[in-house]
Amino acid sequence: MNQISWSFTHYFQILKTCIAERNLLTGKSLYTLYIKSLVQPSTYLSNYFILLYSECGRLSAARKAFDATPDPDVFSFNFIITAYAKESQVRVAHQLFDQIPQPDLVSYNTRISAYADRGDTVPAVNLFVRMRGVGSNMDGFTLSAVITAACDDIALISQLHSVALGGGFDSYVSVNNTLITYYGNNGYLDEAKRIFYGIDEIRDEKMVRSQLRVDMFTLASVLTAFTSLEDLSGGHQFHAHLVKTGFHQNPHVGNGLIDLYSKCQVSMLECRKVFQEIPEPDSAIWNNMISWYSQNDELSEEALDCFKQMQLAGHRPDDGGFVGVISACSNFSSPSQGKQIHSLAIKSDIPLNQISVNNALIAMYSKCGNLQDARKVFDKMPVHNTLSLNSIIAGYAQSRRWAELLILFEGILVKTNITPTGITFISVLSACAHTEKVDEGKKYFEMMNEKFGIVPKAQHFICMIDLLGRAGKLEEAERLIKTMPFDPRFVGWMALLNACRIHGNMELAIVAANECVRLEPSKSTPYVILSKMYAGAGRWEESAAVRNLMRDNWVKRSTR
C-alpha cells in the first residue's frame, strides 16, 4: 500500500471515529483539511461530514457541508433530511425530500418518522400511501413510524396492524412494541396483552430468558401500556413477575417501572427503590430519575444530588441530564447554582441536540428573573426551534416587558423560519392588550389561522376581549364575546367588567357583572366592582343592594 493510499485510509478511519464518538473538535480539523483540498474531494467523503455535523447537533454546519457536496446523492439527502428532522424543521426536510431524484426506503422512513414525532398524522399517512403507490418497499421501521403517527386514531392503528399481519411484519420486534404501546395508550390493554403474549409466552421463565423474540423493549412497551392507563394494580402484578424473572434489574425495564410509578403518583420512594435494585444503572435511568425529581419543586435538591451522584458513578451527563438538573435549578431562589450548571454544560461541549439544553437555560434564567442572561443564551444559539421561541417569549411576558416582547416576536417572524404555536400567541396577544396595540393584536389574531393554521382557542379570544376592553372598544368586545365559538367563562366576562370599570360604562358593566356572578357566585370581585361603580355614579341604593346580595350569598370580600 503506497503512502497516499495509507494516508487516505488513516484519514477516513479518524473521521469515522469522530462520528462514532461525536468528537466535533477533531472532526472540524478534518473538514478544514478537506475543504482546502488536501484530501481528494468526493461525494462519499462529503456525506460523512454531513453525518458528523448532524450527529453532533450542528445543523448549520451540516447544511454547509451538504451545499458544498460536489454531486449530492440519495445518501447526502438522507443525512441532511435526518439533521433537519432532529430539529423538528419538517418544512425544510419536506423541501429537501422533493429534490431527491429517486428517494429510497431511508428517505421515506426519515420523513414519516419526523411527522410522527410531531404528531402530524395526516401527512405521515399520506406519505406512506404515496410510498406504496410508487412501489417502494417498506420495512418494520416504516410501519412503526406510521403507527406512532396514528397516535390516538385506533381505527387507523387497527388497519396498520392488519397491514403488518398481511405483510409478515408482525415478526419485527419494533412493530410489536409500537402496537403494544399505542393500543395500551388508547385503553385497548387486552389487545396489547394479546400481541405481547403472542410474541412469546411470558409465563414460561425459560422462554423469557432465552429472549428468542421478547426483548427489553417489548417488556418496556407493556409497562408503557400500564402507564398510559394509569393501571397501578396491573403494573404491580407485572412488576412482581419481572422480579421473579430477574428482569427488574435491567435498566431499560427499570426505566419503564419508574415511569409507571411516577405517572401513577406513587411515592418517589418507590421509584428510588426500583432504581436502587438496578446493579448497573445506565445514563438513561440516571437522567430519568433527575427528570422526575426536577418535576417536583420540593425535590429539587434531590435532583441536583442525583446529578452529582451520576457523575461520581462515571456517567457523563448528556442533554437529558443537563435539562433535568437545569429545570431543578429553576426552583432555587438564587440563580447561582444554575449558573454553575451552565458553566459545566459549556465545558462539556455537549454534542447532541444542544438546543434542548439552551431552551432549559432560557426557561431557568427567565423564571429566576434574569432576562438578560436568558436573552444572551437565545441570541448565541446557532439554531432555534419552537420551544426556544416560546421560552424567550414567556420570559419577557413573566417580566411584563410587553413592548420588547412584541419587537422580539416581529423580528423572529421576519428573520427566521420558526413556527409559533398557540402558546406563543397567548403571550403575544397579552402583550398587545397591555400595550393597547389593537391593530397589531387583530393582525396577529388573524395570522394564527391564515398563516400558521392555528385555530384560536378560548384563551386567545379572551386575550382579544381584554385587548379591545383596555382600548375602550367595549361594544366590539361585547360582540366578540357573543359571537365567539366558546363559552367566554368567568375570566372573559371579568376582562370586560374591568374594562367597563376603567372606561365608566355602567350599562355594560351590569351585564358583565351579572354574567360573572352567574358563573362564579362565590367570587367577590364582580360584586365589589359593580358596587363601587354604582357608588361612584351616586346610585347609592343600587350599591347597597349589591352589597346586600353579596352578604346574602355568603360571599366574603377578598383580602387581596
Side-chain angles (χ1 to χ4, degrees), residues 132-411:
R132 300 189 75 189
V134 297
S136 178
N137 292 326
M138 64 177 176
D139 61 10
F141 296 106
T142 316
L143 266 178
S144 297
V146 183
I147 294 166
T148 300
C151 193
D152 58 356
D153 188 339
I154 196 65
L156 178 57
I157 293 171
S158 297
Q159 291 176 20
L160 293 169
H161 188 182
S162 298
V163 172
L165 292 171
F169 293 104
D170 56 324
S171 61
Y172 281 77
V173 172
S174 62
V175 174
N176 287 317
N177 291 347
T178 311
L179 285 168
I180 289 169
T181 298
Y182 286 93
Y183 272 129
N185 287 352
N186 289 288
Y188 289 77
L189 192 54
D190 288 340
E191 189 63 38
K193 286 179 178 178
R194 274 194 290 273
I195 295 171
F196 178 73
Y197 288 122
I199 296 172
D200 259 334
E201 182 54 64
I202 191 167
R203 288 165 291 189
D204 186 337
E205 183 175 334
K206 291 181 181 178
M207 288 288 283
V208 175
R209 288 197 175 278
S210 69
Q211 296 185 49
L212 293 175
R213 293 174 70 193
V214 174
D215 66 1
M216 300 309 152
F217 299 98
T218 309
L219 297 172
S221 294
V222 176
L223 285 169
T224 300
F226 286 119
T227 302
S228 64
L229 294 175
E230 299 186 26
D231 184 356
L232 185 58
S233 176
H236 270 142
Q237 293 176 30
F238 194 69
H239 186 181
H241 186 84
L242 292 171
V243 171
K244 289 179 183 178
T245 56
F247 283 123
H248 69 298
Q249 295 181 328
N250 176 270
H252 195 77
V253 175
N255 236 344
L257 287 168
I258 291 172
D259 283 339
L260 169 69
Y261 291 135
S262 301
K263 179 79 178 291
C264 294
Q265 298 181 342
V266 176
S267 168
M268 201 61 196
L269 292 173
E270 190 72 28
C271 296
R272 190 179 299 166
K273 182 181 177 183
V274 171
F275 177 76
Q276 290 171 343
E277 290 177 348
I278 300 172
E280 296 181 3
D282 59 14
S283 295
I285 198 165
W286 277 106
N287 291 327
N288 204 11
M289 288 296 292
I290 294 169
S291 175
W292 281 112
Y293 278 132
S294 68
Q295 291 177 32
N296 189 325
D297 292 358
E298 298 177 357
L299 298 175
S300 297
E301 292 285 356
E302 283 82 350
L304 186 58
D305 182 64
C306 191
F307 181 79
K308 293 175 181 177
Q309 291 297 323
M310 177 179 72
Q311 293 176 279
L312 291 174
H315 292 281
R316 293 180 62 188
D318 62 6
D319 282 29
F322 276 112
V323 168
V325 76
I326 290 167
S327 299
C329 289
S330 301
N331 299 320
F332 298 141
S333 56
S334 170
S336 59
Q337 191 66 66
K339 282 182 174 289
Q340 291 178 31
I341 300 296
H342 187 179
S343 299
L344 184 60
I346 293 172
K347 292 175 184 176
S348 70
D349 190 28
I350 309 164
L352 269 178
N353 194 25
Q354 196 171 11
I355 192 169
S356 62
V357 178
N358 286 321
N359 289 344
L361 286 167
I362 293 170
M364 184 267 293
Y365 282 128
S366 297
K367 190 172 180 181
C368 293
N370 188 349
L371 192 56
Q372 183 177 1
D373 280 343
R375 183 61 187 268
K376 283 181 181 178
V377 173
F378 182 83
D379 289 340
K380 289 181 180 178
M381 291 173 68
V383 180
H384 302 90
N385 63 10
T386 299
L387 186 56
S388 316
L389 171 63
N390 286 346
S391 296
I392 193 65
I393 290 290
Y396 276 93
Q398 288 166 15
S399 299
R400 306 185 74 78
R401 291 165 66 169
W402 305 111
E404 293 171 75
L405 185 157
L406 292 174
I407 293 171
L408 172 65
F409 180 68
E410 189 63 34

Side-chain angles (χ1 to χ4, degrees), residues 6 33 46 70-71 73 113 133 150 230 290 304 389 391 433 471 513 539:
W6 180 89
L33 295 174
S46 294
D71 295 298
D73 56 17
S113 295
E230 299 186 26
I290 294 169
L304 186 58
L389 171 63
S391 296
R539 297 167 64 172

